[in-house]
């Protein structure tokens, strides 16, 4: 079994600047931060390398970092400008027992991350969900549509921290 | 159920009101649309299974709305599902009845405040006859709801009462 | 000139054999399936948004409603995740009671899976027998915590109530009777020729494909890989019990077909009986809550913690910013991920097989859509 430090060293040697840093400040999980437009390449390497063999994508999470500037609007509500959205990948090697956490951050205004749906088939639906909930666009995804919300939902992305629910949807009142 | 029990002792002619006959026929064979939404559907399944036995009230599950008299809204109605429920309801032949089972379909239940995709009460899209409270209601509560509906049907009339 | 074109058939969201509100769009060539497009979200209840507005203990009732056939397992998974985030240990008695409850719930969940699978294929009797016995498990739960389906029983750091008087004996009685039911179900359904014809060699899932799709739980084990979180990443006190992990053997066809997936659940029920019996024998006396502050406030950090649910690997990814409410909770829903393989499995089969394949994956829409 390899530790996150060793895996980080391997990645750093192979990809250089695309692997940003290893964050061990958080108490439970060490996180390797990578660049959003190099995700596919790094993940192919992680899956196919003999020493690593990360054959299982446990979980892919979208995340609103809520670190932007809060702007007060005229109707009293706030909106976030700037800041980042993140995607967190939990990977595991079923054969070797390795586990790591990857994280990539992308700008809130035009969030773009490369897809990993070719690397792990289950990422397809995970990425559609992250798109549905946060509006993160996964480049080269084969079928990027909303998955849980209705296809004609126009009120934005519900899990963003500054999301505002509409009054009506197709003539049905939404608030209580 | 009282109406015909004593009438067959001597001969086989029954005299009754048309209203009573029709209502008796309707309330004794309420065919239910077999259609589950969420957690409450499991309790609905338990109600129709061996222990509680829905069949003895004449409730038989039918997979098609066109053969059903009663629809039990068993669970959370989301905005995406609401239009479907409305369409299913419109496909049912008259007379049709609705039981709203559980807090979610009554009023949104635990999702009333932050549920951005939950319809707060199925009565916003279709008319409801009986509300059964609970999260989820026990099978006994659903049976009670059905008996209440039967009572309601028993008191219906073909003639419109003058207001 | 003759021309052929594919037919599109809609199935659901109120179809009786989709186990809830799943909608499938089937593209057909005659009766053969070319492509399946699932449409989800008809039961999307905004779980993750609720988590961001609730305190840690308040989330437990919502966790119940994820996979409503296995509420106890969900609660246990969530409670363990928060306990790991807080670095606290729970008393011995709590661990044992949790395992008894979780395994009873696993049996109940598999009963519904097996019973409704029988209905999907056209056998009604096993459903009635299994629901009769499921009522006994629900009665046990009801005596313990007052609810039949959604319990709010396993809390962070402990339990809401201790076991009622005579619980141990009643559970033993139930297990004794249930062993007979398993034999009955096997005779009625598992070795029934018609049932085997409908399920063997249908929807074969090879193990490489299963891993690539992230399949876990009984579906992965039916494909022949011995992978169980209770053994591979032990939590609670599962390392103290002696039980086997059944894997698919392809008795009536290829490894990983519908029959394997179905029969694995029957075998798992038998293993759960073994675990419960051992836990009842060893059940210690003691406290049922650990000392916790009134306001649970973990330090800043993040954790992914997972348990083995009846449907597969249930994980909770919790991000804390040191507040009363979590910053973000993401569930790894096993049903959602297991369902994504449906299109792959159905290709080239007949329409009637879709029902057989979908039933064998055993999904719960509350968890698929959350």
């Amino acid at each position: 079994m390899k530790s996150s430090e060793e895996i980080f060293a391997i990645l750093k040697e192979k990809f250089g600047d695309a692997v940003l840093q290893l964050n061990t400040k958080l108490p439970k999980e060490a996180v390797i931060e990578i660049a959003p437009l190099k995700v596919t390449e790094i993940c192919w390497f992680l899956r196919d390398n003999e020493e690593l063999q990360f054959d299982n994508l446990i979980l892919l999470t979208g995340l609103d970092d809520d670190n932007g500037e809060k702007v007060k609007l005229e109707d009293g509500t706030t909106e976030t400008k700037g800041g980042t959205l993140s995607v967190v990948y939990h990977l595991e090697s079923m054969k070797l027992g390795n586990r790591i956490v990857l994280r990539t951050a992308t700008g809130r205004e035009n969030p773009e991350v490369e897809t990993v749906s070719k690397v792990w088939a289950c990422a397809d639906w995970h990425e559609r969900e992250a798109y549905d909930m946060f509006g993160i666009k996964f480049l080269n995804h084969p079928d990027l549509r909303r998955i849980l919300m209705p296809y004609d939902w126009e009120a934005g992305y519900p899990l963003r921290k500054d999301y505002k629910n509409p009054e009506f949807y197709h003539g049905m009142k939404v608030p209580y | 159920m009282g109406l015909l029990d004593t009438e067959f002792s001597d001969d086989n002619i029954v005299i009754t009101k048309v209203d009573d006959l029709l209502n008796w026929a309707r309330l004794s064979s309420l065919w239910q649309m077999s259609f589950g939404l969420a957690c409450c559907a499991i309790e609905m399944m338990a109600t129709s299974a061996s222990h509680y036995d829905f069949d003895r009230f004449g409730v038989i599950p039918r997979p098609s709305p066109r053969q059903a008299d009663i629809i039990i809204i068993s669970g959370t109605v989301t905005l995406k599902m609401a239009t479907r429920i409305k369409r299913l309801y419109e496909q049912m032949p008259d007379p049709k009845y609705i039981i709203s089972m559980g807090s979610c379909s009554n009023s949104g239940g635990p999702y009333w405040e932050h549920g951005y995709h939950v319809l707060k009460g199925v009565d916003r899209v279709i008319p409801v006859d009986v509300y059964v409270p609970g999260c989820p209601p026990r099978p006994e509560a659903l049976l009670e709801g059905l008996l209440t509906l039967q009572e309601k049907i028993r008191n219906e009339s073909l003639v419109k009462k003058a207001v | 000139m003759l021309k052929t074109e594919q037919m599109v058939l809609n199935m659901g969201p109120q179809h009786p054999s989709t186990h809830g509100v799943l909608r499938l769009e089937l593209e057909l060539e005659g009766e053969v399936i070319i492509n399946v497009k699932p449409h989800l979200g008809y039961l999307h209840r905004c779980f993750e948004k609720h988590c961001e507005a609730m305190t840690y203990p308040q989330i437990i009732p919502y966790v119940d409603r994820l996979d409503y056939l296995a509420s106890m397992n969900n609660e246990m998974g969530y409670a363990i995740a928060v306990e790991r985030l807080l670095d606290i240990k729970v008393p011995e008695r709590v661990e044992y009671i949790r395992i008894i409850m979780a395994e009873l719930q696993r049996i109940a969940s598999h009963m519904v899976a097996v019973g409704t699978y029988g209905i999907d294929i056209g056998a009604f009797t096993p459903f009635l027998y299994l629901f009769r016995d499921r009522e006994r498990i629900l009665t046990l739960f009801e005596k313990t915590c007052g609810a039949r389906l959604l319990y709010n029983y396993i809390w962070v750091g402990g339990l809401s109530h201790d076991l009622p008087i005579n619980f141990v004996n009643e559970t033993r009685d139930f297990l004794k009777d249930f062993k007979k039911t398993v034999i009955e179900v096997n005779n009625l359904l598992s070795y029934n020729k018609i049932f085997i014809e409908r399920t063997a060699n249908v929807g074969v899932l090879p193990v490489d494909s299963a891993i690539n799709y992230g399949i876990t739980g009984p579906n992965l084990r039916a494909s022949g890989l011995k992978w169980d979180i209770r053994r591979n990443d032990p939590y609670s006190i599962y390392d103290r019990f002696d039980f086997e992990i059944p894997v698919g053997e392809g008795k009536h066809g290829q490894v990983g077909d519908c029959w394997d997936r179905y029969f694995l659940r029957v075998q798992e029920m038998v293993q759960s009986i073994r675990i419960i019996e051992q836990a009842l024998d060893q059940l210690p006396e003691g406290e049922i809550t650990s000392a916790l502050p009134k306001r649970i406030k973990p330090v800043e950090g993040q954790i992914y913690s997972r348990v083995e649910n009846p449907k597969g690997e249930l994980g909770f990814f919790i991000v804390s910013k040191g507040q009363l409410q979590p910053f973000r909770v993401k569930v790894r829903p096993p049903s959602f991920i297991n369902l994504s393989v449906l299109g792959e499995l159905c290709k080239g089969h007949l329409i009637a097989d879709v029902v057989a394949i979908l039933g064998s994956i055993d999904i719960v829409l509350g968890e698929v859509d959350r």
Side-chain angles (χ1 to χ4, degrees), chain C residues 90-102:
Chain C
V90 292
E92 279 282 282
R93 185 174 170 82
V94 174
E95 297 276 26
Y96 276 95
I97 295 177
R98 278 181 181 183
I99 282 188
I100 292 168
M101 292 300 168

Side-chain angles (χ1 to χ4, degrees), chain B residues 70-82:
Chain B
I70 166 178
I71 178 169
I72 300 178
I73 309 292
S74 54
T76 317
V77 184
T78 58
L79 295 175
K80 204 172 179 178
M81 195 66 205

